[in-house]
């Protein structure tokens, strides 16, 4: 029997540029792909390839220095074209040029039913790095068994497409994925789904239904409302697409690099869903589909709350499922600026006409105000459906007060969980960056 949880805290941003009813999915074969190690917190990369090397699908590109069995792999067959390094020779990304026809050999990964074999297969295929451990929101340790595993089949982020689109008609892969994960934990496997989901029950997993109020789609928020993680405990979280890829690996012995991407935002001519390859170059995805209106565009890999501004020459970043294009706002010239009461002004305050009219908004990337000292208004709590005190937690992180950070719930939270509060924050603080720094500090000190 399915359990239902209705979250009362949160907010769905009403924005233009969403994909309402995807009728057709077009395929895009990118001319270049890239893997960015910074997308995998806790992963310390060491290269396994050099420029000019030939790779196939699933070939290792780099491994973790502390856990060499955990690898990041190539999503295409082709040639390593560039290894881009930053300050102090930090590996920024590995770029690969696919073969001309986009086809190529896949590296086979031996799979058996033992826990050790499944761990080795997931680590070698690159899928292990797509899971996250709580606390710390990092790539899990292969030597540790989690208390429970939480899978989200719901994406409530602004303009996001239905996550279940990527697993449609793949029930056998989902069953195989759940069976594989069940061998990695002695606890429960929970799958969080949206209200009215058509996803059938899966043997070995408990289905938990959530209302579609953001951030209900975050696996960490779901975990906090099902079985919160306490000090000394470890849980793993992942999305339903990764679960399906794990099942595909178990059934076929190979990594499936295909992804469905929602191309969204007010500056996109025709919002759509495309099928492409993980790490695809964004110019291939966006060519001909961005308004030529003379405005500066902010191109985001991801959604407007947690995504990464990468520009037209950037690449699709993990978790590889959305691209958003909005105006930068550097050409804006409106009467009264941020204090304008125009009905086109995006706000959830009933003082603004746009809220009363119930319209969809076309926001730009401006900050609309300056950063200032934290205002203790309690507003963070309205947008975080977890049993923690976010304002006091942020203060404890800034003070590097480990005892208070533990007491106030840092083991439960990840940067994405605080993103909505960052959007509403009148102090304009970079809450996601602060939480990430706090988690890294706790990990280094505890």
């Amino acid at each position: 029997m399915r359990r239902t949880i209705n979250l009362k805290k949160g907010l769905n941003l009403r924005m233009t540029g969403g994909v309402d009813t995807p009728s057709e999915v077009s395929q895009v074969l990118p001319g270049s792909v890239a893997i960015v190690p910074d997308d995998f917190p806790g992963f310390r990369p060491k290269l396994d390839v050099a420029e000019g090397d030939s790779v196939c699908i699933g070939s290792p590109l780099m491994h973790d220095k502390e856990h060499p069995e955990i690898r990041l792999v190539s999503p295409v067959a082709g040639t390593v074209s560039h290894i881009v390094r930053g300050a102090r020779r930090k590996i920024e990304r590995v770029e690969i040029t696919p073969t001309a026809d986009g086809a190529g050999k896949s590296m086979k990964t031996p799979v058996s039913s033992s826990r050790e074999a499944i761990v080795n297969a997931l680590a070698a295929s690159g899928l292990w790095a797509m899971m996250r451990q709580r606390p710390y929101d990092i790539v899990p340790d292969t030597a540790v068994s989690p208390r429970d595993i939480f899978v989200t089949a719901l994406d409530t982020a602004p303009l996001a497409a239905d996550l279940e689109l990527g697993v449609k008609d793949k029930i056998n892969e989902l069953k195989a994925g759940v069976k594989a994960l069940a061998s990695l934990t002695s606890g429960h496997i929970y799958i969080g789904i949206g209200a009215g989901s058509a996803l059938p029950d899966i043997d070995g997993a408990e289905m938990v239904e959530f209302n579609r109020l953001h951030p209900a789609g975050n696996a960490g928020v779901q975990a906090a409302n099902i079985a919160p993680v306490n000090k000394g405990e470890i849980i793993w979280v992942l999305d339903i697409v990764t679960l399906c890829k794990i099942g595909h690996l178990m059934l076929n012995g190979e990594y499936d690099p295909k992804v469905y991407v929602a191309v969204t935002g007010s500056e996109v001519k025709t919002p759509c869903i495309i099928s492409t390859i993980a790490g695809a170059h964004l110019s291939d995805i966006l060519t001909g589909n961005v308004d030529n209106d003379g405005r500066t565009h902010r191109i985001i890999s991801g959604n407007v709350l947690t995504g990464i501004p990468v520009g037209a020459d950037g690449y699709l970043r993990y978790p590889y499922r959305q691209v958003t294009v909005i105006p930068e706002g550097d050409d804006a010239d409106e009467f009264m600026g941020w204090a304008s009461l125009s009905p086109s002004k995006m706000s959830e305050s009933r003082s603004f006409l746009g809220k009363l009219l119930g319209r969809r908004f076309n926001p730009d990337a401006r900050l609309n105000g300056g950063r200032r000292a934290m205002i203790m208004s309690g507003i963070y709590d309205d947008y975080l459906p977890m049993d923690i005190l976010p304002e006091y937690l942020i203060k404890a992180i800034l003070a590097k007060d480990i005892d208070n950070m533990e007491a106030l719930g840092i083991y439960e939270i990840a940067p994405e969980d605080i993103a909505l509060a960052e959007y509403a924050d009148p102090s304009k603080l970079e809450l996601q960056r602060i939480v990430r720094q706090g988690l890294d500090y706790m990990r280094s000190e505890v």
Side-chain angles (χ1 to χ4, degrees):
M1 182 176 178
R2 297 188 176 190
R3 197 191 329 175
T4 300
I5 296 177
N6 288 315
L7 302 182
K8 297 181 179 179
K9 296 180 179 181
L11 176 68
N12 290 329
L13 299 183
R14 294 170 293 157
M15 297 173 57
T16 59
V19 183
D20 295 326
T21 54
S23 57
E24 183 178 345
V25 177
S26 58
Q27 186 173 4
V28 174
L29 296 176
S32 176
V33 301
I35 298 299
V36 180
D38 278 353
D39 291 343
F40 306 92
F43 184 90
R44 298 179 59 196
K46 186 172 183 179
L47 285 171
D48 293 322
V49 293
E51 291 184 359
D53 285 358
S54 295
V55 294
C56 61
I57 298 172
S59 292
L61 300 177
M62 58 194 94
H63 65 267
D64 183 73
K65 292 179 181 178
E66 294 183 3
H67 302 279
E69 70 277 9
I70 301 177
R71 300 169 184 167
L72 299 181
V73 303
S74 174
V76 293
T79 304
V80 177
S81 53
H82 296 95
I83 296 174
V84 181
R85 293 182 180 269
R88 303 180 69 179
R89 294 188 56 78
K90 175 186 176 182
I91 302 170
E92 299 284 353
R93 64 181 181 270
V94 176
E95 300 177 6
I96 305 135
T97 301
T99 54
D101 57 359
K105 182 180 178 183
S106 293
M107 176 173 285
K108 288 291 184 178
T109 302
V111 180
S112 68
S113 58
S114 69
R115 183 186 192 280
E116 182 181 3
I118 291 173
V119 169
N120 289 337
L122 292 178
S125 68
L127 291 173
W128 190 275
M130 296 184 185
M131 299 189 290
R132 293 292 177 268
Q133 169 191 304
R134 301 288 174 90
Y136 308 130
D137 189 44
I138 58 173
V139 175
D141 186 338
T142 54
V144 176
S145 295
R147 187 204 69 193
D148 298 307
I149 299 176
F150 296 84
V151 182
T152 179
L154 177 63
D155 192 347
T156 54
L159 305 180
D162 189 351
L163 261 185
E164 294 181 20
L165 175 67
V167 299
K168 188 178 180 181
D169 301 325
K170 294 184 178 181
I171 189 64
N172 289 334
E173 284 88 345
L174 294 176
K175 289 179 178 179
V178 168
K179 184 178 179 181
L181 292 183
S183 68
L184 306 182
T185 177
S186 57
H188 295 86
I189 297 175
Y190 299 96
I191 298 181
I193 57 177
S197 170
L199 196 68
D201 290 352
I202 301 173
D203 293 340
E206 180 179 342
M207 314 295 283
V208 184
E209 190 173 275
F210 287 85
N211 59 333
R212 297 176 181 268
L213 183 65
H214 188 65
N218 292 1
V221 170
Q222 294 176 6
N225 286 274
I226 297 172
V229 59
N230 300 307
K231 182 178 180 180
E233 297 178 338
I234 288 176
I235 62 171
W236 293 350
V237 300
L238 63 154
D239 61 37
I240 194 79
V241 175
T242 302
L243 176 67
C244 187
K245 292 180 183 296
I246 291 173
H248 182 86
L249 178 72
M250 295 299 112
L251 295 176
N252 301 288
E254 61 183 20
Y255 165 56
D256 178 12
K258 296 177 182 178
V259 294
Y260 288 96
V261 180
V263 182
T264 63
S266 59
E267 294 297 289
V268 172
K269 292 180 181 178
T270 307
C272 60
I273 304 291
I274 65 167
S275 172
T276 188
I277 301 297
H281 199 280
L282 292 189
S283 64
D284 299 309
I285 294 174
L286 296 174
T287 297
N289 200 19
V290 177
D291 285 335
N292 186 18
D293 53 9
R295 306 182 74 178
T296 304
H297 297 142
R298 175 167 292 194
I299 299 176
I300 303 168
S301 179
N303 62 73
V304 293
L305 295 178
T306 63
I308 302 170
V310 293
D313 292 329
Y315 289 86
L316 185 65
R317 304 285 289 271
Y318 178 83
Y320 312 125
R321 59 182 182 230
Q322 186 175 356
V323 177
T324 309
V325 186
I326 61 174
E328 188 68 47
D330 54 357
D331 59 347
D333 184 16
E334 59 183 346
F335 177 66
M336 294 179 67
W338 63 267
S340 169
L341 297 180
S342 167
S344 63
K345 195 73 173 178
M346 183 173 180
S347 177
E348 287 301 312
S349 170
R350 285 173 291 183
S351 301
F352 288 77
L353 290 175
K355 169 66 174 178
L356 298 176
L357 295 174
R359 63 182 298 173
R360 290 184 178 272
F361 299 99
N362 176 14
D364 55 41
R366 286 176 295 163
L367 194 60
N368 284 329
R371 292 186 175 89
R372 56 187 73 92
M374 181 185 290
I375 301 171
M376 299 292 286
S377 62
I379 196 169
Y380 298 173
D381 193 54
D382 295 337
Y383 301 104
L384 184 62
M386 303 171 74
D387 189 21
I388 64 176
L389 300 172
E391 288 179 338
Y392 294 95
L393 174 59
I394 293 298
K395 280 183 170 289
I397 293 173
L398 292 173
K400 295 186 176 180
D401 186 337
I402 291 177
D403 290 339
N404 270 332
M405 288 159 69
E406 287 184 339
L408 292 166
I410 196 168
Y411 293 131
E412 297 182 52
I413 201 168
E416 67 174 2
D417 300 328
I418 201 77
L420 191 60
E422 181 179 288
Y423 158 76
D425 182 17
S427 303
K428 312 297 182 184
L429 297 180
E430 296 180 357
L431 300 182
Q432 294 181 78
R433 179 183 58 81
I434 292 171
V435 169
R436 179 77 265 166
Q437 290 175 347
L439 292 170
D440 292 344
Y441 178 73
M442 287 288 292
R443 184 172 168 231
S444 66
E445 295 294 325
V446 176

